[in-house]
Amino acid sequence: MSETKGDSQAKSFTAEEIGKHNTRDDVWIVISNKVYNVTNFLDEHPGGEEVILENAGKDATNDFDDIGHSEDAREMLKDYLIGELKGAPPTGAQGAKGSADSHLRSQQNK
């Protein structure tokens, strides 16, 4: 599956799917139930890449709002929008939990 920058088609992603995108080379975040691929923004982020990487694969809404981003920053998000969150928001352990759940389901189906 490939997502293009600024792709605003109504794609939906689960927390499990989002949680898998948590590395420096593949960073998705959720802000206000919208999913963003911010991989190409890491080097440009004025606050440094670390703060984004801390939220990689997770819901970053609280951190984003707490910082008090400018209206320009909020407008820039549109360039990285790839879809919407389907279901509950991802948490820090979601990627690992999702993998474990998948493994358990595959074992039960045998």
Side-chain angles (χ1 to χ4, degrees):
M1 169 185 356
S2 67
E3 288 77 25
T4 56
K5 190 173 178 179
D7 182 0
S8 60
Q9 292 179 354
K11 294 180 184 174
S12 295
F13 300 98
T14 64
E16 182 177 353
E17 292 171 302
I18 295 162
K20 294 175 184 176
H21 301 271
N22 61 2
T23 67
R24 185 177 191 317
D25 295 326
D26 184 20
V27 183
W28 290 11
I29 59 173
V30 175
I31 298 174
S32 301
N33 294 321
K34 296 195 184 305
V35 182
Y36 300 92
N37 181 343
V38 294
T39 308
N40 293 328
F41 183 66
L42 290 177
D43 292 332
E44 300 172 34
H45 187 247
E49 67 182 34
E50 295 80 19
V51 68
I52 294 176
L53 290 173
E54 287 173 8
N55 286 288
K58 298 189 275 185
D59 189 332
T61 304
N62 289 338
D63 287 347
F64 185 84
D65 289 343
D66 286 349
I67 295 298
H69 282 90
S70 67
E71 194 57 41
D72 287 343
R74 294 176 186 280
E75 281 294 313
M76 287 177 67
L77 281 176
K78 294 177 184 176
D79 292 336
Y80 302 95
L81 179 66
I82 58 171
E84 296 183 355
L85 174 64
K86 181 170 101 177
T91 63
Q94 189 64 43
K97 177 183 180 297
S99 297
D101 287 349
S102 296
H103 177 70
L104 286 173
R105 280 193 299 274
S106 70
Q107 293 300 315
Q108 290 171 347
N109 292 333
K110 288 185 176 181

